Amino acid sequence: MSTLFDPVQAGDLQLANRIVMAPLTRNRSPNAIPPDIAATYYAQRASAGLLITEATAISHQGQGYADVPGLYGTEQLDAWKRVTDAVHAEGGKIVVQLWHVGRVSHTELQPGGGKPVAPSAITAKTKTVLIKDGVPTFVETSEPRALDAAELPGIVHAYAAAARNAVETAGFDGVELHGANGYLLDQFLKDGSNKRTDDYGGAIKNRARLLLESTRAVVDAVGGGKTGIRLSPVTPANDVHDSDPQPLFTYVVQQLAPLNLAYIHIIEGATGGPREIADRPFDYEALKAAYRAAGGKAAWMVNNGYDRPLAEEAVKEGDDLVAFGKPFISNPDLVRRLREHAPLNELDKATMYGGGVKGYTDYPALG
Ligand SMILES: Cc1cc2nc3c(=O)[nH]c(=O)nc-3n(C[C@H](O)[C@H](O)[C@H](O)COP(=O)(O)O)c2cc1C
């Protein structure tokens, strides 16, 4: 029987263990360029079976927070290459999370100060971060405009171009589409944020169209074996809601099955919150079974609130990978600490978003 510390194959990715660093936005990339210390930060964590980077914008339009990185400019790609080289020098594997925030943005972050874009012109009741006088400040997101159907092929193309640049130029081992947490692809999926009446709204197959077109385009660009996708069926993050998520996500994973992806990454419950939500029940085992019944062979990755016992249980029950978020911020050597049952460093919440070395590269490893 497999344990957390056993190797596993996820598509083209041969992983040394089943412990994954979840994507973690750190707001330390002015001008959307990862800083030099990002190479140190990720390399310190390279003993994870897989590192998933912080969410990284596929285009300027896809940008929604101050000082988050991008993947659409030469300097951004050069900076990411320094990160992937540093991780590979430590024997690690790293994929980049491809991000379009959709409506979770602010006019100050958009090209030409324009409105953020969304499936429908409905403002998200959520906040984003701007830097005001050097201080990260939470502000309401701006009112979005509904995307014209004619703009959607450009977004699909941006996902594919970012994926190609990530692998060919920046040296990533693969990419993860961010289909979770109330960002653009999730906004299209869910009927609380998608009120469209064209081919991209209404029926489940229409709401899933943009996510599936984008995933297929990424697979065409870099190969299914280098492509993962993150989904969060019931998270309330960023004000998303669906009236009937089980059939919606069942359809999505059935359509993903033939793409021979590296992994499917599922956030169970409310991201960073309860794993079960009373008024949003969801059967994750049924979702996985539907994917396998449709022929899906990707590694199955789970996340949200895992500790060692829960993660061991998940692997024993047949999940392939477990992603840890907050524990990886404060424990660069999380794999060793879990293996040795060592205590974990405490997380300093004040340095999660923005700042420099403090709370980023200065958490101690075991001696
Ligand atoms: C500081 C911070 C930044 C995060 N940034 C991202 C992100 O960029 N992309 C994403 O999909 N999830 C993001 N998340 C969610 C985490 O990936 C993860 O789903 C969440 O923390 C729950 O896992 P955990 O209980 O192991 O921390 C972030 C969470 C935190 C705490």
Side-chain angles (χ1 to χ4, degrees):
M1 193 175 302
S2 302
T3 80
L4 264 182
F5 307 99
D6 290 331
V8 65
Q9 188 79 26
D12 293 355
L13 309 171
Q14 190 160 9
L15 309 179
N17 58 63
R18 289 139 187 276
I19 298 167
V20 176
M21 177 171 163
L24 294 159
T25 290
R26 306 302 308 275
N27 303 81
R28 283 164 166 86
S29 301
N31 304 313
I33 300 168
D36 286 344
I37 47 166
T40 307
Y41 166 72
Y42 283 108
Q44 285 173 340
R45 289 158 178 77
S47 57
L50 180 66
L51 304 174
I52 304 170
T53 70
E54 62 211 89
T56 300
I58 59 167
S59 62
H60 188 171
Q61 185 194 67
Q63 200 89 4
Y65 298 79
D67 292 357
V68 296
L71 207 53
Y72 51 89
T74 309
E75 283 180 273
Q76 299 164 2
L77 296 170
D78 289 348
W80 277 124
K81 183 71 169 63
R82 289 193 284 278
V83 172
T84 62
D85 282 347
V87 169
H88 291 150
E90 293 294 326
K93 295 271 161 63
I94 183 165
V95 299
V96 61
Q97 191 184 44
L98 303 179
W99 199 19
H100 191 309
V101 296
R103 66 183 183 166
V104 185
S105 187
H106 192 278
T107 52
E108 282 189 27
L109 299 163
Q110 287 292 304
K115 288 184 172 188
V117 299
S120 304
I122 304 168
T123 306
K125 291 186 202 70
T126 188
K127 299 209 162 157
T128 181
V129 178
L130 299 178
I131 308 258
K132 301 263 184 206
D133 301 321
V135 182
T137 311
F138 285 94
V139 297
E140 303 286 337
T141 53
S142 304
E143 181 188 47
R145 67 174 178 83
L147 280 158
D148 193 288
E151 295 175 271
L152 299 179
I155 291 180
V156 172
H157 180 265
Y159 275 103
R164 194 176 294 109
N165 284 336
V167 170
E168 291 179 7
T169 307
F172 283 103
D173 298 294
V175 300
E176 173 180 289
L177 287 106
H178 195 343
N181 293 348
Y183 297 110
L184 184 71
L185 299 176
D186 202 23
Q187 290 159 28
F188 266 84
L189 284 179
K190 291 176 178 167
D191 59 12
S193 42
N194 184 344
K195 306 290 184 192
R196 299 176 75 93
T197 54
D198 62 6
D199 286 351
Y200 291 85
I204 283 176
K205 74 175 191 328
N206 287 349
R207 283 183 277 128
R209 195 179 303 278
L210 184 66
L211 178 140
L212 293 171
E213 287 180 347
S214 301
T215 310
R216 290 188 192 112
V218 166
V219 168
D220 285 345
V222 300
K226 291 184 170 53
T227 304
I229 188 165
R230 193 172 216 212
L231 303 169
S232 54
V234 295
T235 194
N238 291 315
D239 194 25
V240 279
H241 178 262
D242 191 78
S243 58
D244 201 4
Q246 198 81 41
L248 170 63
F249 282 88
T250 299
Y251 174 80
V252 168
V253 298
Q254 285 169 339
Q255 296 298 308
L256 294 174
L259 300 183
N260 295 320
L261 298 183
Y263 66 84
I264 309 275
H265 183 177
I266 304 289
I267 300 174
E268 299 158 330
T271 315
R275 293 176 41 77
E276 307 243 0
I277 312 173
D279 61 346
R280 297 186 183 203
F282 196 85
D283 185 341
Y284 298 97
E285 280 307 312
L287 185 72
K288 184 165 63 172
Y291 177 69
R292 296 289 183 226
K297 301 225 165 14
W300 196 262
M301 185 189 300
V302 293
N303 167 252
N304 203 26
Y306 279 83
D307 57 11
R308 176 171 170 155
L310 201 56
E312 281 180 328
E313 190 60 28
V315 169
K316 210 189 295 168
E317 303 273 303
D319 294 327
D320 302 294
L321 295 161
V322 182
F324 293 81
K326 291 179 290 295
F328 256 116
I329 294 180
S330 51
N331 297 278
D333 55 349
L334 183 66
V335 174
R336 178 176 171 196
R337 286 174 191 254
L338 293 178
R339 188 188 279 120
E340 297 181 5
H341 296 274
L344 302 186
N345 295 321
E346 222 172 284
L347 175 70
D348 172 21
K349 290 199 172 157
T351 51
M352 284 198 302
Y353 304 107
V357 172
K358 190 168 176 319
Y360 191 52
T361 51
D362 65 350
Y363 282 106
L366 294 174

